[in-house]
Amino acid sequence: MGHSYIKASDLPSILPLFPLNGALLLPRGQLPLNIFEPRYLNMIDDVMAGERLVGMIQTRGENLLLPELARVGCAGRITAYAETSDGRYVVTLTGICRFRLGPELPAGSPYRQARVDWQPYESDLKAESTITGFSREAFLASLRRYLHGRALDLDWETAEAAPPEALVNSLAMALPFDPAEKQALLEADTLEARCRCLTAILQIDAVDPGDEGPPPVQ
């Protein structure tokens, strides 16, 4: 990753924010972004000269000009960067740590910035290797039913071998859940809680009344 954060105090107290509904970043996950708005091009220029940290956060409410921000977001560090011939930036953020939103700074830049509190999520800085009571077989059965109902598929060999944290977080980020569901996954206190939340969403969203279920596993 090129930079190590051991404790919450290693992280900056002020963070540039990229509000984007439906985009979920989690610790150690990777989120590709296509940056084209001038204010966010400016933001990338600024962060590339410093810590390379960007706070991904969703919005709430109906004010489209200056939407209210969700209370929790996740910071990512730019770990891949390219500039296109038409002036866009294509970057990849690698998730570092969630944060609780604090006061926003007075507008001194074209993009929003805020003070943030890392302390509630300091445990994000260390990977969780296990999930108590996790049944991969039952989890993948729920996932298979959900994907079947949407004519989606994935690399099942990878899903069967992936470590629990990588499996749960990558699916939470990649699957087409609505913004409220994404926020619930983000705010789950622990990996175990996130796994329970993800399983519940998969099961609730899985089957239409007339669905006959997924085809048998070969």
Side-chain angles (χ1 to χ4, degrees), residues 17-38:
L17 302 174
F18 190 178
L20 186 60
N21 287 347
L24 175 60
L25 179 64
L26 292 167
R28 288 163 292 283
Q30 293 196 320
L31 180 66
L33 293 172
N34 178 27
I35 310 293
F36 55 87
E37 285 190 52

Side-chain angles (χ1 to χ4, degrees), residues 127-144:
E128 296 184 64
S129 58
T130 61
I131 302 174
T132 302
F134 178 66
S135 168
R136 188 179 298 262
E137 182 179 359
F139 178 80
L140 292 182
S142 296
L143 176 62
R144 188 179 295 275

Side-chain angles (χ1 to χ4, degrees), residues 70-114:
R71 64 179 183 173
V72 176
C74 184
R77 190 168 191 270
I78 296 176
T79 51
Y81 167 92
E83 188 171 353
T84 67
S85 59
D86 59 359
R88 292 177 291 113
Y89 293 158
V90 179
V91 304
T92 298
L93 294 182
T94 298
I96 300 296
C97 185
R98 291 172 293 170
F99 59 86
R100 187 169 296 279
L101 187 70
E104 282 198 60
L105 273 60
S109 65
Y111 51 87
R112 299 170 76 170
Q113 300 182 72

Side-chain angles (χ1 to χ4, degrees), residues 65-199:
L65 293 177
L66 190 66
E68 183 182 357
L69 299 174
R71 64 179 183 173
V72 176
C74 184
R77 190 168 191 270
I78 296 176
T79 51
Y81 167 92
E83 188 171 353
T84 67
S85 59
D86 59 359
R88 292 177 291 113
Y89 293 158
V90 179
V91 304
T92 298
L93 294 182
T94 298
I96 300 296
C97 185
R98 291 172 293 170
F99 59 86
R100 187 169 296 279
L101 187 70
E104 282 198 60
L105 273 60
S109 65
Y111 51 87
R112 299 170 76 170
Q113 300 182 72
R115 294 190 178 278
V116 297
D117 182 7
W118 308 99
Q119 198 62 48
Y121 301 107
E122 187 174 41
S123 61
D124 286 352
L125 297 174
K126 183 178 180 181
E128 296 184 64
S129 58
T130 61
I131 302 174
T132 302
F134 178 66
S135 168
R136 188 179 298 262
E137 182 179 359
F139 178 80
L140 292 182
S142 296
L143 176 62
R144 188 179 295 275
R145 182 171 291 276
Y146 172 89
L147 294 175
H148 175 71
R150 286 157 179 74
L152 299 173
D153 202 1
L154 55 71
D155 182 343
W156 291 103
E157 185 175 344
T158 298
E160 288 164 1
E165 184 189 62
L167 177 64
V168 169
N169 285 356
S170 62
L171 289 170
M173 289 175 58
L175 291 175
F177 301 138
D178 67 36
E181 291 170 328
K182 295 271 189 180
Q183 192 66 28
L185 289 163
L186 175 68
E187 294 189 21
D189 285 341
T190 63
L191 180 61
E192 183 177 344
R194 184 173 303 122
C195 183
R196 290 197 303 268
C197 181
L198 176 57
T199 301

